[in-house]
Amino acid sequence: MGRPRWLNAEEKRAWNAFLGTYELLNRRLDQQLKQDSGISHLQYVILARLSRAPDRELRMAELACAVSNSKSGLTYQIGQLERAGLVRRRACESDPRAVYAVLTDEGMALLEQAAPGHVALVRELLIDVLTPDQLHALADGLGEANRRMLATGDPATDCR
Amino acid sequence: MGRPRWLNAEEKRAWNAFLGTYELLNRRLDQQLKQDSGISHLQYVILARLSRAPDRELRMAELACAVSNSKSGLTYQIGQLERAGLVRRRACESDPRAVYAVLTDEGMALLEQAAPGHVALVRELLIDVLTPDQLHALADGLGEANRRMLATGDPATDCR
DNA sequence: GCGACTCCGTTCAAATTTGAACCTTGATCG
DNA sequence: CGATCAAGGTTCAAATTTGAACGGAGTCGC
């Protein structure tokens, strides 16, 4: 391996924009969701993921992986959501070790109430700011980066 | 305002890829930096930002803004970095309220030691995965989103 | 000079995240 | 069977983040 290949100006620009956009965006989404619906962005993502699953339920490990969260982190969040009545835990009949997180009707209702404002903000702050070409490039490029990291991921490391 | 404009398939793809990539990437960078250099990704970003500043120093508020962090969060991190000898606080002579965070020689040395591996991983996981067109689109698109959020930001809200 | 504001950075308690350790089963192999 | 190892979730303590105060100074208009 030779000398480190530093980032050139455009690469730096892209990298900094990527980091900055995420931080800013995540914070705005968090604030809006908390204010309007009393849940965090992470909780929204969890509820949304469950709502798309068959029977609106998913196993803990699978859900953790789907929202790029750790096992223990998910245990905590599901605990919060359960206390709020938005999610319910269900034991798996075939495998005693497994636990399903199930979206309740209340959870679905909250999600439907929160979604319009959330999506509108995502549009305003990111999606609608991009040109169609940029949107496409972002979907392709980041999609590929995503795929590679998932493929490379140390499987022992929580899927994270 | 009419019915909510939901995200179409490509928009969803872009949005999910964006969120997922950040989560995965940030975690990998964190692990690598902790393992190789004993600092978190956030701490790396702070040190790196300081290293680029005139006299390697920046005021707390400015630094907080530059790394998209909260004031109290930065106070904490600078405390940690100071304990480790990587950063030092300096009072401002002209304004008694102001505090400068200064990168020490040790901090600079650590940064220089950490940088090659860090940059290599950023390349491997993101930059080098993108085509030149995608890189350009990302820099432009996310740069613009970034700019707008900074412009829109409630100035009272910590600059976050 | 006074009052009303704002800015700067810190402090504090509460909420969340992290990572390792742990407890239960499954699965696999002799 | 019995041993070993991996998988699935939870628990726990420690580290970090959050957001709302707070205290001390500047600033501005009057």
Side-chain angles (χ1 to χ4, degrees), chain B residues 1-136:
Chain B
M1 53 164 67
R3 259 191 334 300
R5 289 168 52 221
W6 301 113
L7 301 186
N8 66 35
E10 175 147 285
E11 289 165 341
K12 270 186 216 163
R13 204 160 62 87
W15 177 232
N16 288 328
F18 178 73
L19 288 184
T21 300
Y22 179 86
E23 300 290 354
L24 258 22
L25 194 42
N26 188 45
R27 217 174 300 282
R28 296 280 189 100
L29 296 176
D30 232 19
Q31 292 179 337
Q32 192 212 30
L33 282 167
K34 271 177 193 153
Q35 174 145 56
D36 294 358
S37 311
I39 60 176
S40 67
H41 183 206
L42 173 55
Q43 292 176 329
Y44 179 93
V45 172
I46 291 173
L47 297 182
R49 184 64 193 82
L50 284 176
S51 76
R52 280 185 269 119
D55 292 328
R56 293 181 187 165
E57 62 181 17
L58 235 34
R59 301 202 17 184
M60 295 296 284
E62 196 175 356
L63 183 52
C65 191
V67 302
S68 307
N69 214 143
S70 68
K71 285 187 305 177
S72 65
L74 187 66
T75 292
Y76 176 78
Q77 285 299 344
I78 292 295
Q80 296 301 96
L81 292 171
E82 198 169 27
R83 261 188 342 107
L86 306 176
V87 159
R88 166 171 75 69
R89 276 179 166 90
R90 180 174 82 68
C92 174
E93 49 290 334
S94 63
D95 185 345
R97 293 175 302 177
V99 173
Y100 282 93
V102 190
L103 185 63
T104 64
D105 290 343
E106 289 83 357
M108 192 65 191
L110 182 77
L111 188 59
E112 287 174 342
Q113 173 264 306
H118 174 69
V119 173
L121 191 55
V122 171
R123 272 200 180 287
E124 178 191 335
L125 298 180
L126 181 65
I127 301 296
D128 287 351
V129 173
L130 305 174
T131 66
D133 281 353
Q134 288 171 344
L135 183 75
H136 193 75

Side-chain angles (χ1 to χ4, degrees), chain A residues 5-6 10-11 13 21-24 27-28 68 123 128 134 136 140 142 146 149 153 160, chain B residues 5-6 10-11 13 21-24 27-28 68 123 128 134 136 140-142 146 149 153 160:
Chain A
R5 289 170 53 221
W6 302 114
E10 175 147 282
E11 288 165 342
R13 202 159 62 88
T21 299
Y22 178 86
E23 299 291 355
L24 258 21
R27 217 174 298 282
R28 295 281 188 99
S68 307
R123 272 199 179 288
D128 287 351
Q134 289 171 344
H136 193 75
D140 282 357
L142 298 187
N146 221 5
M149 284 192 278
R160 304 165 63 182
Chain B
R5 289 168 52 221
W6 301 113
E10 175 147 285
E11 289 165 341
R13 204 160 62 87
T21 300
Y22 179 86
E23 300 290 354
L24 258 22
R27 217 174 300 282
R28 296 280 189 100
S68 307
R123 272 200 180 287
D128 287 351
Q134 288 171 344
H136 193 75
D140 282 357
L142 297 187
N146 221 5
M149 284 192 278
R160 302 168 61 185

Side-chain angles (χ1 to χ4, degrees), chain A residues 82-99:
Chain A
E82 198 168 30
R83 264 191 337 111
L86 305 176
V87 160
R88 171 170 71 71
R89 275 180 167 90
R90 179 174 83 69
C92 174
E93 50 289 336
S94 63
D95 184 346
R97 293 176 302 178
V99 173

Side-chain angles (χ1 to χ4, degrees), chain A residues 13-81:
Chain A
R13 202 159 62 88
W15 177 234
N16 288 327
F18 178 72
L19 288 185
T21 299
Y22 178 86
E23 299 291 355
L24 258 21
L25 193 42
N26 188 45
R27 217 174 298 282
R28 295 281 188 99
L29 295 176
D30 231 19
Q31 293 178 337
Q32 192 212 30
L33 283 167
K34 271 178 193 152
Q35 175 145 56
D36 294 358
S37 310
I39 60 176
S40 67
H41 183 205
L42 173 55
Q43 292 176 329
Y44 180 93
V45 172
I46 292 173
L47 298 182
R49 183 66 194 79
L50 284 176
S51 75
R52 280 185 268 120
D55 293 328
R56 292 181 187 166
E57 63 181 16
L58 235 33
R59 305 211 0 194
M60 294 296 284
E62 196 175 355
L63 183 51
C65 191
V67 302
S68 307
N69 215 142
S70 67
K71 286 188 306 178
S72 65
L74 187 66
T75 293
Y76 175 78
Q77 286 299 342
I78 292 295
Q80 296 300 99
L81 292 171

